[in-house]
Amino acid sequence: EVWVARSSGNKIKVSGPESHPDDAATLLAVAYVDMWVTVPLGGSSESSIPDRIRASAAEAGVDTNKPFVFVIEGKVKELDAHVIAGSCPIANPDGESPSRFSINRSANARLVGVYAEGSEGDLTHHGNLTHMHVIMNRSGQMITGHVDHVIVGEDAILRVPAG
């Protein structure tokens, strides 16, 4: 599935799950997973999610010293996310500000990400082992963006590649 979010004038426009001829991305990560291992995540806080991902992947036989993809599905209790407007606001502080959105109630979501130790500043932001994006229905519209903060609910499940 290809989901693309654009930000302009603090509004977010999303296309997907199929790509369109005018779609473009600043960063595109693609992975093919033969088989997933599904593990209950069970109400993890933002700080514990990377540890749970690493432990579950290692148990599934994944080499956690190399980047790998993961999916989290279920309810989120809290979520803060953003969509950049053409360029990174850190690299280009004079550019347009990103569009931001928050969820402060229980809502269904899919988090798609990469776990990448030693890739801070390349695949992940400094101080993070994961880079996650959310895909969810918000007020009847599909929305997607980069996850800045998340707390998942008790029903959340984690999928990691089978090693």
Side-chain angles (χ1 to χ4, degrees):
E1 294 181 12
V2 176
W3 292 92
V4 177
R6 294 169 188 79
S7 173
S8 179
N10 208 25
K11 294 194 188 254
I12 300 171
K13 178 184 173 195
V14 176
S15 62
E18 297 176 5
S19 62
H20 299 288
D22 61 341
D23 283 343
T26 303
L27 171 67
L28 175 65
V30 178
Y32 179 80
V33 177
D34 286 322
M35 186 170 26
W36 294 98
V37 173
T38 302
V39 185
L41 198 51
S44 295
S45 68
E46 183 174 22
S47 62
S48 68
I49 289 174
D51 292 338
R52 295 290 308 276
I53 292 169
R54 185 182 199 291
S56 297
E59 189 172 306
V62 174
D63 181 354
T64 59
N65 293 312
K66 297 178 182 175
F68 62 90
V69 294
F70 65 88
V71 176
I72 297 172
E73 291 180 312
K75 298 227 185 296
V76 293
K77 294 179 179 180
E78 294 178 17
L79 174 85
D80 294 322
H82 74 270
V83 176
I84 62 171
S87 65
C88 174
I90 296 168
N92 182 14
D94 295 330
E96 188 175 341
S97 296
S99 295
R100 299 186 182 280
F101 60 95
S102 296
I103 303 292
N104 293 310
R105 57 172 170 69
S106 184
N108 288 319
R110 182 178 354 157
L111 306 174
V112 179
V114 61
Y115 178 95
E117 286 186 22
S119 294
E120 295 178 26
D122 290 326
L123 293 175
T124 67
H125 292 289
H126 292 282
N128 292 300
L129 297 173
T130 63
H131 184 130
M132 289 187 275
H133 284 243
V134 62
I135 304 166
M136 67 184 300
N137 187 312
R138 182 175 178 217
S139 303
Q141 297 217 330
M142 292 305 289
I143 191 163
T144 184
H146 174 79
V147 174
D148 296 315
H149 162 76
V150 66
I151 296 176
V152 299
E154 295 295 325
D155 73 330
I157 60 165
L158 167 66
R159 289 192 176 93
V160 295

